[in-house]
Amino acid sequence: HWHLGDRQHAEQEARALAPAVAGQTDADDRAAGHARLAALLARFGDAEASARHQVLAQAALDEFQAFQAALADRLAQVDAALGD
C-alpha cells in the first residue's frame, strides 16, 4: 500500500502486524520484523513507536546471537568428544 500511495492503509497494516511480529518463535524473525516495523513507523513520522521497535529488534537480535554462540559452543563440544 505504501508504494501505491495509500499511506494511511499502509500505516494501519504495519501497526496491525506488531502482535504477529512479537509472537514469532524465532528470535531472528522477531528481530527482522521489529526492524522493518521500526523503519516503516519512522517513515510514517512516529518516532516514539519506531524507537520502541528498534529496542525490540535489538533485544531479539541479542537473543539470537546468544543462541548462535551457545549452539556453536555445543557443536564444538560434540566435535571434541568425537575426536574431530
Side-chain angles (χ1 to χ4, degrees):
H1 296 285
W2 177 264
H3 294 289
L4 299 176
D6 189 354
R7 181 186 182 277
Q8 183 178 6
H9 195 190
E11 186 172 357
Q12 288 171 346
E13 283 188 348
R15 291 182 191 283
L17 286 173
V21 169
Q24 288 291 320
T25 301
D26 296 325
D28 59 330
D29 291 337
R30 280 195 317 278
H34 282 300
R36 288 183 183 125
L37 285 174
L40 280 171
L41 292 166
R43 291 198 67 179
F44 298 144
D46 190 343
E48 184 178 323
S50 175
R52 280 194 311 273
H53 283 283
Q54 288 173 359
V55 168
L56 292 168
Q58 186 61 55
L61 179 59
D62 293 345
E63 179 185 340
F64 182 67
Q65 289 173 334
F67 165 76
Q68 285 182 312
L71 181 59
D73 183 53
R74 183 66 182 129
L75 289 173
Q77 291 173 14
V78 169
D79 282 345
L82 294 174
D84 286 326

